Amino acid sequence: MAVTMRDVERFEAFRPRLEAIAYRLLGSASEAEDAVQETYLRWQASGVEHIEVPEAWLTKVLTHLCLNQLTSARARRETYVGQWLPEPLLAGDPMLGPAETAEQRESVSYAVLALMERLSPNERAVYVLREAFGYPHREIAEVLDLSEAASQQIFHRAKRHVAEGRPRTEVDEAAARRIVEEFLAAATSGKTEPLVRLLTADAVSIGDGGGKVPARAKAFEGALAVATFMRGLFKPSKAKRALVGGTAEIHVTTANGAPAVVAVVEGRVVGVMCLEVGADGIAAFRNQVNPDKLDRATRRWAAADHGEPLFRAF
């Protein structure tokens, strides 16, 4: 039976939630879009009139598609060039999903998305459905074909793994922006000491170039090593201008709900630096420069007015 306009409208009403679930599961906006589109095709072919609870059906189909994708992604990432980081989502992107609670905001943070790479596909699915979207364990068990007790056990194990990797600290947006602006002022001062003072002693910097843009395969670790790298990163040079295709405009915004530095060249986002800011200073920099993971950021950037850049670099 052909899908009616009403059926299409019902699916489209669920699409934002499905995309938000898929992004948290996959860490990739493009792969999330593909998974949701495949879910729609299965919705079309299913005999929609026989589906009693559309949201539950769609969530189950989407989650299983993402679980299959996660399994194959693990094999692909073994051959990925350098460090792998999620695809960043800039402020206002609907794929970020709900952000009313601390748990929802944390579940889409760049730091937690990176930590979730340590989880098994089932652990990640249970964690996302419970922590970010508040599904009861009874429904999660039905989605994943588990017992309710197994869902609860998996959730507690996944939550413990994530908590071990990163203690929860929330810094208000205004304070975080001030810290980022102080960081940029220090990074462009040509001096290392002011930078070191803004970092935690165990600060790290990780870059994802995907083999297409130079990025160090191993993370910089420790305040001095990170500060030295950042000082060099913001030092102007002809080579850097040639690499990014011009002079980069530097903006301060948010990505995945946390402070971020965005580098833009002629309307094209060439880098997103996500900062993990805690009460003791900046604990981590996660730098996405792989152009394959910046297409959506570029489209979102073009759709809004961001005002004048803080400064022009390189």
Side-chain angles (χ1 to χ4, degrees), residues 35-234:
V36 172
Q37 187 59 27
E38 178 61 28
T39 302
Y40 173 71
L41 294 176
R42 297 192 182 196
W43 166 260
Q44 272 189 319
S46 66
V48 174
E49 70 279 6
H50 301 301
I51 298 174
E52 294 182 5
V53 187
E55 181 179 357
W57 189 94
L58 291 168
T59 301
K60 182 166 186 172
V61 170
L62 174 76
T63 301
H64 281 275
L65 286 170
C66 290
L67 289 176
N68 292 338
Q69 184 76 5
L70 281 171
T71 301
S72 62
R74 287 184 171 231
R76 290 199 310 274
R77 285 169 196 168
E78 288 178 3
T79 60
Y80 191 82
V81 178
Q83 300 274 347
W84 185 94
L85 289 173
E87 184 176 345
L89 297 182
L90 299 183
D93 194 314
M95 198 176 278
L96 288 168
E100 287 80 23
T101 68
E103 289 79 13
Q104 289 172 337
R105 291 190 294 274
E106 187 174 61
S107 72
V108 79
S109 74
Y110 219 54
V112 168
L113 285 174
L115 285 170
M116 282 198 287
E117 288 296 305
R118 304 177 183 180
L119 304 181
S120 70
N122 262 13
E123 286 175 337
R124 188 163 182 162
V126 172
Y127 181 84
V128 166
L129 292 174
R130 179 63 181 167
E131 191 80 343
F133 295 93
Y135 282 89
H137 285 290
R138 174 182 52 79
E139 292 183 18
I140 295 172
E142 292 172 359
V143 166
L144 296 174
D145 300 318
L146 302 167
S147 70
E148 189 170 345
S151 176
Q152 292 170 338
Q153 290 172 355
I154 291 171
F155 174 69
H156 291 305
R157 186 167 64 242
K159 191 167 185 177
R160 185 174 66 250
H161 288 330
V162 172
E164 287 170 355
R166 174 178 176 264
R168 178 181 296 170
T169 55
E170 286 219 65
V171 178
D172 72 80
E173 189 173 334
R177 184 181 178 91
R178 285 196 301 272
I179 292 172
V180 175
E181 290 176 349
E182 288 177 23
F183 155 71
L184 288 171
T188 54
S189 71
K191 299 177 181 179
T192 304
E193 293 78 10
L195 273 169
V196 171
R197 288 196 293 270
L198 292 173
L199 309 179
T200 61
D202 58 353
V204 297
S205 177
I206 303 167
D208 179 351
K212 300 187 176 184
V213 173
R216 193 170 187 255
K218 186 178 179 182
F220 290 94
E221 298 180 353
L224 182 58
V226 172
T228 302
F229 166 67
M230 290 295 168
R231 186 190 65 187
L233 180 65
F234 285 96

